[in-house]
């Protein structure tokens, strides 16, 4: 069994034992004398600052355990305190004229019991606060040690004198590791056990060799076969799993090989340390290689589109591989340096070399990423898009980290340089993994909804899943940049305590419960709405507008009830919410009164239904069909196919004309004029025949023709008819006008139009003006002078603009 697995097993056992001891101690009163001993030891360790990091971590775990004990004790003792306080509150305030002796004695007894019950709670709270301060001090001490380690200068690696100790330290580690194997082989008992385990060793050895040598080729062939097919959501998932098999299969092979070596029993303590990290080193190397092939992909259907040439993509893949190799080598040499206690000079030189290699590879990748950012979204515009600007900034951050790491390593800050460069490299790998995974999620959702690959960036679901992946990756990023597991657990403990608002504490658990219950209620509400709309209401005699009102009202009631149930289930005090609502009512009265008015008007519209969906209405000068009635506003589609959003308060307080309320029967009025001298009875009969002949005109009541009167230019008539569907009023009016024009033409009935005669008071001025204009042009021609028409006209007298009109009416 590898050291990593044994570490997990031991940690689990210790956690269970610690939890059991805490639970056992929590059943009784905490041992405050034992706590005082732990407190003294912790204060001494913090003050002296000489304990190792492992010892300080152990001390911190003990303090955390005691804090849990005191928190449990405080919660347990708070129950009787709450009960006594409720009883005192039930007695009410002391009357001004005094109270009877029995109640006074009971009040005094309750106060005495309350004082006695509060004492253990306060003692546990004080001990808990003390433990929290000690934990905070230990964390501060460990962080200061880490900062000092990174910022303390060491030997300068470029100084030739520091290279003398490098080879001896590395050779010593290799020699001692080999010596452990030789020593184990020299033992007869060990050889006997090795031969006894030979079948197991051969099995793990053969399996590991097959997975290491053939695993990558198998996955590549399977991936190529899948990518040739028409891609669906399942095939995209399968392709991703096959590609990630290039990491998993070789890693399993290395794990099998290490198990074969462990089964031989030959490795000693040093070999055990090295073999324990080998699977993780393989994972770092293969993951970097896999990410390089996914980001700088040469496939025709990449998960990420990178605007680089094939040569640049190949350089990116090679840089990713060597970056992963430097990360894996840094982890391996770090373990060896700590175990064999290498000299500072050796560590400075070794980690300087690895840091320089990683910085060069990081620089190459950053340059390629920056070149890609210039072509994102709009390569011909010359200006980077916001997405391209973000990628460009990321590339410059990588370049800055690589350059700063190289300079720090040159001056002897090797630890700080390695921390900066390798943390940046691992962060880049995490970001690349998130981008690749996000690309896969887009492909899957696009295949599920049937969208083209060009429309996959418009889907909302991949964005939400990507945001969730980013949140889940934050703890990993925190660990990469120096946070400890204890820091994360402490942060989660603080977060789990929740946010206190008055007497109410809202924790993440409460928030999750609230949203889960609310989503369940919301789903049930939508299900009930769908059932009512599609199954129940169509079988009733309720009109379409009434059905819509019932469904909408059911939705409002269901969402309101779902919110109430979610609040009660989450344990949120509605009394505090009522206080908050009372405070907000002032703001509603001043700033939100329009919104509230529209909301109330929307409810009135749904209840009274003066306007329903599909009605033809006119309000505020806007005419069209009602398409949607929401809580705040109503959407009207005009005859120009434009949407007009009308506040609901305008529909309640304003004047609304509803042309189709209750039924679609309506009247059409068609005016027409004929010339003076036409037989009016004859015209009336013709117009009545035209109206009766149209199929949209109702026979009862019969259409009517009205002789309106004597107009300025014509004898005015009107056809007034009732239509079976007023929505066709314009079409009917147009068809009747066409028929009127045809019949009047056949019957030689003239439709007049207005004519006017214009009389000039002195028309002789037109003749004089023309003669003077001709004389001026002739004179200018003889003298060789070119005159403009504007100059000629300026010399002429202005004609009289006094006119009188006389109408010639026919």
């Amino acid at each position: 069994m590898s050291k990593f697995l044994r570490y997990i097993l031991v940690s689990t056992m210790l956690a269970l034992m610690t939890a059991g001891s805490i639970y056992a101690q929590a059943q009784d009163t905490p041992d405050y004398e034992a706590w005082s001993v732990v407190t003294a030891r912790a204060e001494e360790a913090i003050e002296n600052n000489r304990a190792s990091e492992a010892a300080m971590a152990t001390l911190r775990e003990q303090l955390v355990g005691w804090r849990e004990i005191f928190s449990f004790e405080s919660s347990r003792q708070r129950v009787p305190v709450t009960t006594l306080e409720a009883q005192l509150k039930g007695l009410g305030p002391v009357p001004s004229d005094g109270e009877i002796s029995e109640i006074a004695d009971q009040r005094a007894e309750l106060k005495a019991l309350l004082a006695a019950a509060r004492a253990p709670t306060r003692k546990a709270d004080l001990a808990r606060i003390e433990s929290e301060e000690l934990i905070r001090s230990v964390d501060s001490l460990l962080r200061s040690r880490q900062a000092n380690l990174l910022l303390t200068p060491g030997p300068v690696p470029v100084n030739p004198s520091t290279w003398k100790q490098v080879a001896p330290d590395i050779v010593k580690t290799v020699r001692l590791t080999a010596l452990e194997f030789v020593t184990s082989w020299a033992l007869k008992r060990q050889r006997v056990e090795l031969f006894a385990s030979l079948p197991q060793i051969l099995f793990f050895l053969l399996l590991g060799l097959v997975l290491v040598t053939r695993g990558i080729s198998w996955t590549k062939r399977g991936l190529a076969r899948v990518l040739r097919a028409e891609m669906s959501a399942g095939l995209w998932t399968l392709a991703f799993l096959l590609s990630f098999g290039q990491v998993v299969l070789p890693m399993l092979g290395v794990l099998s090989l290490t198990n074969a070596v462990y089964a031989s029993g030959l490795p000693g303590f040093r070999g055990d340390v090295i073999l324990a990290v080998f699977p993780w080193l393989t994972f770092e190397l293969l993951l970097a290689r896999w990410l390089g092939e996914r980001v700088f992909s040469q496939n025709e259907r990449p998960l990420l589109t990178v605007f680089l040439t094939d040569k640049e993509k190949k350089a990116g893949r090679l840089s990713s591989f060597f970056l992963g190799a430097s990360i894996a080598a840094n982890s391996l040499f770090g373990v060896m340096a700590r175990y064999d206690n290498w000299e500072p000079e050796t560590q400075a030189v070794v980690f300087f070399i690895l840091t320089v290699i990683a910085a060069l590879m990081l620089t190459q990748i950053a340059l390629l990423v920056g070149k890609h950012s210039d072509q994102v979204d709009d390569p011909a515009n010359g200006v980077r898009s916001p997405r391209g600007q973000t990628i460009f900034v990321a590339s410059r951050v990588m370049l800055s980290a690589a350059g700063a790491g190289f300079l720090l390593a040159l001056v002897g800050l090797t630890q700080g340089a390695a921390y900066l460069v390798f943390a940046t490299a691992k962060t880049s790998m995490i970001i690349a993994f998130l981008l690749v995974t996000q690309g896969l999620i887009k492909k899957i959702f696009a295949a599920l909804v049937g969208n083209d690959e060009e429309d996959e960036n418009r889907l909302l679901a991949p964005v939400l899943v990507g945001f969730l992946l980013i949140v889940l990756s934050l703890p990993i990023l925190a660990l990469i940049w120096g946070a400890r597991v204890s820091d994360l657990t402490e942060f989660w403990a603080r977060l789990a305590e929740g946010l206190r608002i008055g007497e109410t504490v809202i924790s993440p658990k409460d928030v999750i419960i609230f949203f889960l219950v609310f989503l369940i209620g919301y789903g049930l509400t939508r299900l009930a709405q769908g059932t009512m709309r599609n199954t129940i209401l169509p079988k009733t005699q309720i009109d379409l507008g009434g059905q819509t009102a019932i469904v909408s009202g059911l939705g409002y009631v269901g969402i309101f009830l779902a919110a109430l149930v979610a609040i009660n289930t989450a344990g949120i005090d509605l009394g505090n919410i009522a206080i908050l609502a009372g405070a907000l009512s002032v703001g509603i009265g001043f700033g939100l009164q329009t919104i509230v008015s529209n909301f109330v008007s929307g409810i009135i519209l749904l209840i009274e239904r003066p306007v329903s969906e599909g009605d033809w209405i006119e309000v505020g000068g806007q005419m069209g069909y009602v398409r949607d009635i929401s809580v705040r506003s109503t959407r009207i589609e005009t005859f120009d196919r434009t949407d007009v959003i009308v506040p609901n308060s305008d529909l309640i307080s304003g004047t609304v004309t509803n042309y189709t309320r209750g039924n679609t029967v309506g009247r059409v009025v068609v005016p027409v004029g004929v010339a003076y001298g036409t037989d009016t009875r004859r015209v009336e009969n013709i117009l009545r025949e035209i109206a009766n002949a149209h199929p949209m005109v109702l026979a009862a009541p019969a259409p009517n023709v009205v002789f309106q009167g004597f107009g300025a230019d014509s004898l005015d008539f009107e056809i007034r008819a009732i239509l079976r569907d007023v929505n066709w009023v314009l079409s009917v009016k147009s068809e009747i006008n066409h028929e009127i024009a045809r019949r009047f033409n056949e019957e030689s009935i003239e439709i007049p139009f207005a004519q006017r005669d214009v009389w000039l008071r002195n028309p002789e001025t037109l003749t004089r003006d023309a003669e003077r204009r001709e004389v001026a042009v002739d004179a200018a021609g003889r003298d060789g002078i070119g005159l403009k028409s504007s100059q000629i006209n300026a010399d002429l007298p202005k004609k009289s603009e006094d006119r009188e009109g006389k109408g010639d009416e026919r």
Side-chain angles (χ1 to χ4, degrees), residues 211-224:
L211 291 177
V212 170
T213 57
R214 307 298 298 171
I216 294 179
S217 61
W218 288 346
T219 55
K220 283 186 175 180
R221 284 200 297 268
L223 182 62

Side-chain angles (χ1 to χ4, degrees), residues 70-86 114 117-126 128-129 500 503:
F70 295 138
S71 297
F72 180 83
E73 177 67 14
S74 177
S75 300
R76 186 169 66 90
Q77 295 293 338
R78 191 168 284 111
V79 175
V81 172
T82 305
T83 303
L84 293 172
E85 288 177 346
L114 181 60
R118 283 175 175 172
T121 303
R122 291 175 179 173
K123 189 174 183 179
D125 288 339
L126 291 176
R128 180 181 55 81
I129 293 173
R500 182 176 295 275
E503 297 296 329

Side-chain angles (χ1 to χ4, degrees), residues 70-146:
F70 295 138
S71 297
F72 180 83
E73 177 67 14
S74 177
S75 300
R76 186 169 66 90
Q77 295 293 338
R78 191 168 284 111
V79 175
V81 172
T82 305
T83 303
L84 293 172
E85 288 177 346
Q87 291 177 348
L88 276 174
K89 185 177 180 181
L91 293 178
V94 179
S96 57
D97 55 349
E99 58 185 357
I100 61 177
S101 59
E102 293 180 359
I103 298 178
D105 294 340
Q106 188 177 4
R107 188 187 301 275
E109 182 181 359
L110 289 175
K111 288 182 178 180
L113 292 174
L114 181 60
R118 283 175 175 172
T121 303
R122 291 175 179 173
K123 189 174 183 179
D125 288 339
L126 291 176
R128 180 181 55 81
I129 293 173
E130 185 179 13
S131 64
E132 288 180 351
E133 293 298 326
L134 290 174
I135 292 172
R136 192 177 293 110
S137 300
V138 171
D139 290 339
S140 177
L141 180 61
L142 292 176
R143 281 193 292 267
S144 63
R145 285 184 179 183
Q146 185 179 16

